Each structure stands twice: as C-alpha cells, then as structure tokens.
Amino acid sequence: MKKSRMIKSTAIISMAAVLMTACSEAEGSETAPGGNDTENNESNEEENEENNSEETVKGGSEVPDSDAPKNVIMMIGDGMGVGQIEIARLLEHGKEGILNMEELEHTALMRTYSANNWVTDSGAAGTGIATSTKTDNGMISVTPDGEELDSILELFQAHDKKVGVVSNNTVTDATPAAFVSSVENRSDSEEIARQMYEAEYDVMLGGGEDDFLPEAQDGNNLMEMFEEKGYPVVTDRDELLDAGTPDKLLGLFHPSYMNYKVDYDLYDSNEPSLNEMSEAAIDVLSQDDDGFFLMVEGARIDHVSHAADFTGIWQETIEFDNTVSDVMEWADDRDDTLVVVLADHETMGVAASEVMDKEGLRNVTASPEYMVTQFEFDEGEGVYTTESVQSVFEEHTGIALTEEEVDMFNEYIYDDEGELLATHRQGWEVGSVIASHFGAGIMDREIRSEGETGGHTGNMVPVFAEGVGAERFNGTLDNTDITQIIAELAEMDYEPGEIQ
C-alpha cells in the first residue's frame, strides 16, 4: 500500500555491561556494516533452519499461544542510549534510583546501523524500525534504490485499526516521517505533510506547523484542508485539553520544533507536554474497538545530546520516562496491549563520568540554544561581545568565563567556509563549553563536527517491553526485527517493507 496510491524488568541491564557488549561486538568484527564472512553466513543459515524447524523466533522464545495484541504503543526516545538514561536517572533519582522504563518486564539490546554506514541517522534508523528494512542515511521509508516501503503503522491502518504519531519535534521530521511517508530525502518535509494529508491518519500531534501552510504548499493551506476533512485542528495546550475525544485529531503546536522543557517558562510557552499529547492521542485512538497503533517520540533527547546539554538530557529524558509511566498506567489494567520502548540510535557517546558535577548541571536554567539568542552580536567584528557572553553564562549556568574562553567560543561559531553557523549549531558549542566545565562525559566537539550525523554513534541501544507478546523482545536484536516481531504478534501478513 504505497503512499502515492493513498496516502518490571526480568533483569536490569547494567550500563557497564551494555557498553562492554557494544565495544566487544565492534572490536570483533572486521566486515562492512551488517556484513558477515562466508563462514558466519553458512552458520547463520544453519541456525535459521534449526530455528524455523523448532518454530522459534528472534530472541529465543517460542511463538506464544496468547491472543494477539489489539493495541501497540511504540515509544521512541530519539538518540536515547544507555548514557542518556543513566544521566536522567542520576540527576532525577540518584544512584540508587530507577526509571519507569527500566521497570518494564522485558529488555533487549538493539543494533542500529544503516545500509550505507555503521552509524545511522534518524531517517535510516526510523526506516529500519518502521519498515523492517535497511536504507541509506537521509532516506525515509524507501530502499536505497528509491522503492517505497510500507510501515507498521500503515499495516495497522490497512487492517482497519486507528493509527497515530506524536512527537515533540515536527511531525514531519525523520522519525515520525518514517511511519507515515516515503521520500528519498528527509528534508522534503512539505511532501511528507502532503502524504500525511492524503493518507488520513487518525492522530498527528507535534510541531511543524510551517510545513502545512500555504508558503510551503504552493498556496494550499493543509491545516484548513484537514479541517474540511473533519479533523479538529488544535494549535496550543488549551485547545488540545478542550478538544475532547473526536474521531480524528491534528495538533500543530509550534512553527518548527517544540520548545525544550528547560525553556518553557523563558518563552512563556503554551505548548502541551509529551505526556499530554500522548494521553490525548490514546483517548482518541482507543475509541476504536478494533484497536490501534501509536508511535510516540521523545525527539528532543537527540537534540540536547547533539548540544552536549546534560541538563536538557536529564529533563527531556525524564519527560519521556514520565510519559512511559502514564502509558503503562493506561495499559496495566488491560490484557490486549503491547508497549515497546526503545531508541532509534545513540547520540554523542554520553557517559556519566566520575567527576561530573551533578548539582551544577541541575542548576542550569536555559538551553544552549536559548543562551545564544541572548548574546549581543558585534556586526563590525563578526563576533559576540565578551560582556554579553560572560553575562549570559553567569546568569544561566553560574560559570564565569574568561576572556580567552569567550574568544575561543567565537572561533567556533563559523563553519569551514567562513559562514556563521545556524543558531542551534552555535548552541552545540555553548553546550560543549558547559559540559566541559561540569566534567560531563561526551564526544569531543571536533569529532562531532567532522561526522555527517553531527555526533551519532553506532552504540547499541536498549529496548524495553511489556504486555502481550513482550517476551519476544529479548537478547540482541537488530532494528529491523522490531516491526517484524510486532506484525507476527498481531497476526498480520507482512514482509519487510511490504503489506501482503
């Protein structure tokens, strides 16, 4: 079904064990990403034949006899590796604390590489998860050759179930886009918005209003066109909370990305939280007696990780984790729902270092990106004034920068061609300064600047699951296993990327 034609844990994995596993996997392989030598291929074929004969599945569990899940809720923490989880746990609960997601009954590790790189971007990662198919970085639910792929969300829609996506990024950005569209370039957000309109998905909540407006749509106002199709369209928290439970719902709460948690008060934001959007989505989708599929993305975990913003990593991951708690509270009394919590990849090699100043990080009061907007720019010199940078750092971080440190920062705000970096990229440099001052473990800024993904890593990421069929999510998985497992559990015919 192509878009063009329609448009409590059995064992808590220690952080050290996860990282050691990922390292040993990498050091033990000298083949291309995803590749195996002939001996390994032959061994895998024999193992697959043995598994098929014993009616076993990935993860070593027999196919369960229980009923298929009627509802599936997939929750993706974008860029959320074990480091991000550990930072959030330590800053929120202390070293003996535990996150809600860690209490889900089943756990696994997942590889994330793309078709053309051992380090994926969010487009290829989302595609792997959503369609059980590897593609190249930058592509959205198409093969490297450009062939369109069907997603798990579309599979559920084809079986007359309600479907939806929630993100505190734009609803047209890479991860949600992989579930609702097929484009060869993840930047084609205008086309992604059109495909969302044509496909008539039931719930779409997040940022990205600009992609739906006439300026991006050749004079057409997709928001008005959605309304003509019977969608209530809401644009702020108040409207969302007053929307009730319509049959369908479109919510666009920011022209672009929704605000960081730490900046809500600074911008006097009236945006809904990830918790509130998810609750509204479930209220709408659960009206269908046939069931539903919902993808919820905590997108800004990735963005704060790119910026080496440990305060943001803490707050964004905790918001995501609180949303997991809310979802599990809804699902706990049910015997027809599967909840899968995972990441699409890890960003910036985040680590809880021994010397990390937790109290200092807790006391940061603004995102690096916001701080950049408060600096004063000297047009004649082409740099930010020393006084303004020092003042803003002191106000929001308590750090007293030296003149030399300000001079060094000003050297980093230009790219190799001498062009001034975008505000969020300048924010990355601010975040790296803060992380260094507070002894936080993070990828070096120079390594970040050299990679095409801006700091993604090939580290494996955790998967947590609970509910109908959750025992299937164990051991070491590939991102292409996730949707295949869900389709099998739901008893739906699905080959990777193709609805049967």
Side-chain angles (χ1 to χ4, degrees):
M1 188 186 311
K2 305 302 181 187
K3 289 71 167 182
S4 58
R5 294 202 295 268
M6 53 157 284
I7 293 231
K8 274 168 210 213
S9 182
T10 55
I12 300 297
I13 304 172
S14 73
M15 299 301 116
V18 174
L19 294 173
M20 289 174 64
T21 302
C23 291
S24 63
E25 292 281 353
E27 292 170 0
S29 173
E30 296 182 1
T31 58
N36 293 299
D37 57 27
T38 303
E39 180 179 348
N40 284 339
N41 281 333
E42 292 173 351
S43 175
N44 287 339
E45 289 173 4
E46 292 173 359
E47 182 178 352
N48 288 337
E49 291 174 0
E50 180 181 351
N51 284 344
N52 289 335
S53 67
E54 295 178 357
E55 296 185 348
T56 59
V57 296
K58 184 70 176 180
S61 299
E62 292 186 0
V63 178
D65 296 327
S66 60
D67 292 339
K70 185 174 79 169
N71 312 308
V72 175
I73 304 174
M74 181 184 293
M75 307 184 69
I76 301 175
D78 200 309
M80 185 187 71
V82 293
Q84 284 80 359
I85 291 172
E86 184 69 359
I87 294 301
R89 189 185 71 85
L90 287 170
L91 293 184
E92 185 73 11
H93 302 297
K95 64 184 176 64
E96 296 182 359
I98 189 168
L99 299 184
N100 296 296
M101 68 181 88
E102 293 178 299
E103 294 193 286
L104 271 63
E105 292 180 346
H106 299 276
T107 58
L109 292 174
M110 187 181 80
R111 295 189 178 94
T112 64
Y113 63 87
S114 68
N116 68 334
N117 201 313
W118 65 85
V119 175
T120 188
D121 81 325
S122 288
T127 299
I129 295 169
T131 73
S132 287
T133 308
K134 297 287 187 182
T135 195
D136 291 347
N137 286 356
M139 306 182 87
I140 300 290
S141 289
V142 295
T143 67
D145 295 329
E147 180 181 348
E148 293 182 352
L149 298 166
D150 296 322
S151 75
I152 187 67
L153 181 145
E154 293 169 312
L155 176 65
F156 272 64
Q157 185 183 52
H159 283 76
D160 298 321
K161 294 175 179 282
K162 282 186 174 291
V163 296
V165 292
V166 170
S167 177
N168 52 11
N169 196 337
T170 67
V171 294
T172 54
D173 201 57
T175 301
F179 290 82
V180 300
S181 67
S182 289
V183 292
E184 293 192 25
N185 191 323
R186 59 177 291 180
S187 298
D188 196 357
S189 54
E190 296 88 354
E191 173 61 20
I192 294 167
R194 285 190 290 272
Q195 292 185 18
M196 296 174 74
Y197 170 76
E198 293 165 3
E200 299 185 12
Y201 303 119
D202 300 286
V203 174
M204 295 151 284
L205 302 176
E209 179 182 21
D210 282 353
D211 294 328
F212 294 77
L213 296 178
E215 294 80 0
Q217 296 294 338
D218 297 324
N220 296 312
N221 190 322
L222 286 185
M223 295 177 69
E224 293 180 354
M225 292 167 65
F226 268 105
E227 287 183 316
E228 292 170 0
K229 282 191 173 186
Y231 286 77
V233 177
V234 294
T235 59
D236 62 29
R237 180 177 184 267
D238 295 334
E239 292 180 357
L240 177 67
L241 298 183
D242 289 341
T245 52
D247 188 55
K248 295 176 180 288
L249 182 63
L250 174 66
L252 300 171
F253 307 107
H254 194 282
S256 181
Y257 305 151
M258 297 178 68
N259 286 312
Y260 293 117
K261 287 287 292 182
V262 72
D263 292 339
Y264 270 25
D265 292 340
L266 295 170
Y267 286 114
D268 195 22
S269 172
N270 192 26
E271 299 170 2
S273 66
L274 188 66
N275 313 58
E276 290 166 335
M277 290 191 292
S278 301
E279 180 179 359
I282 291 174
D283 285 346
V284 172
L285 298 175
S286 62
Q287 297 177 103
D288 191 341
D289 291 336
D290 293 327
F292 65 87
F293 177 91
L294 172 64
M295 191 287 295
V296 176
E297 182 194 24
R300 308 232 70 185
I301 299 169
D302 176 64
H303 298 163
V304 292
S305 297
H306 279 290
D309 176 8
F310 278 68
T311 306
I313 291 170
W314 161 43
Q315 296 195 10
E316 297 296 329
T317 304
I318 289 300
E319 179 180 53
F320 179 76
D321 190 57
N322 288 339
T323 306
V324 172
S325 178
D326 290 347
V327 168
M328 290 310 304
E329 183 177 353
W330 179 86
D332 271 347
D333 294 331
R334 309 178 66 93
D335 59 1
D336 60 358
T337 301
L338 170 65
V339 179
V340 181
V341 180
L342 70 160
D344 56 344
H345 59 81
E346 195 278 338
T347 301
M348 289 290 288
V350 170
S353 68
E354 181 182 1
V355 298
M356 182 174 66
D357 183 350
K358 298 191 295 296
E359 196 59 32
L361 292 169
R362 290 191 187 104
N363 290 332
V364 173
T365 60
S367 71
E369 188 172 337
Y370 176 85
M371 290 172 62
V372 171
T373 68
Q374 305 304 298
F375 298 158
E376 295 177 9
F377 194 74
D378 185 327
E379 296 288 348
E381 297 293 330
V383 296
Y384 291 108
T385 65
T386 299
E387 294 79 6
S388 71
V389 175
Q390 289 176 326
S391 174
V392 171
F393 262 83
E394 180 70 33
E395 177 183 0
H396 291 293
T397 73
I399 296 171
L401 289 184
T402 65
E403 292 186 7
E404 290 76 13
E405 287 174 317
V406 176
D407 290 343
M408 183 174 295
F409 164 73
N410 274 319
E411 292 179 5
Y412 295 151
I413 64 175
Y414 289 90
D415 64 19
D416 291 340
E417 284 71 43
E419 296 293 327
L420 191 65
L421 293 171
T423 301
H424 77 277
R425 292 294 298 272
Q426 296 179 45
W428 292 9
E429 302 300 336
V430 171
S432 289
V433 174
I434 298 171
S436 178
H437 269 266
F438 289 130
I442 196 80
M443 183 185 294
D444 183 87
R445 60 163 301 281
E446 293 184 1
I447 297 175
R448 175 182 57 198
S449 66
E450 292 175 3
E452 293 183 0
T453 62
H456 290 188
T457 75
N459 294 349
M460 288 194 289
V461 295
V463 181
F464 308 99
E466 187 164 328
V468 182
E471 64 275 7
R472 295 281 298 273
F473 296 90
N474 69 92
T476 300
L477 304 172
D478 188 77
N479 59 8
T480 56
D481 294 322
I482 304 300
T483 284
Q484 202 63 42
I485 292 173
I486 292 172
E488 291 173 8
L489 289 170
E491 299 176 352
M492 297 178 182
D493 291 334
Y494 181 76
E495 293 297 325
E498 185 176 357
I499 297 172
Q500 300 298 292

